[in-house]
Amino acid sequence: MTVLDACLSPHVVMAQRDHVRLEWRRPYPALGRVRSVAWTCFCRATVYELCEGAGRAFLRRTVQRDGGDDEVHETSTWPVGEARVIWTALLSGRAR
Ligand SMILES: [Zn+2]
């Protein structure tokens, strides 16, 4: 099976030269219950998720490492609508 056959989730495209640089920080438990509402394909080492909770949303970036010691960073939170716009920008290479 090729990678393409297995992929159901979107991949991020290469970041544009003038893309918005998001601030990625160490995660901290601030929002309480959070659910992942969108995510990129796990076939890539770096997986992005759109997470929502308590009317706010943020992006989570996980770098999958061999041995399971994943590296996780998150953005600060935005209103849900704003976060969805940023999520779309991330997927299309306009933010990263
Ligand atoms: Zn994939």
Side-chain angles (χ1 to χ4, degrees):
M1 186 189 300
T2 68
V3 168
L4 281 179
D5 287 335
C7 292
L8 298 174
S9 301
H11 303 125
V12 292
V13 303
M14 189 178 294
Q16 297 174 6
R17 200 185 334 173
D18 59 348
H19 69 278
V20 174
R21 291 169 196 280
L22 302 172
E23 186 185 340
W24 297 98
R25 318 184 299 189
R26 287 262 165 224
Y28 57 92
L31 278 185
R33 205 175 55 158
V34 161
R35 64 196 180 95
S36 185
V37 297
W39 47 87
T40 61
C41 187
F42 284 80
C43 78
R44 299 283 176 83
T46 302
V47 176
Y48 295 93
E49 293 171 83
L50 173 60
C51 303
E52 293 182 6
R56 305 281 293 178
F58 62 92
L59 305 187
R60 177 182 292 149
R61 180 184 68 191
T62 302
V63 179
Q64 308 181 87
R65 300 204 187 285
D66 294 338
D69 195 16
D70 292 351
E71 180 186 320
V72 180
H73 286 92
E74 294 172 352
T75 65
S76 53
T77 65
W78 300 288
V80 168
E82 192 177 332
R84 287 178 180 165
V85 170
I86 296 167
W87 172 252
T88 302
L90 176 100
L91 291 180
S92 62
R94 288 178 283 118
R96 191 65 41 88

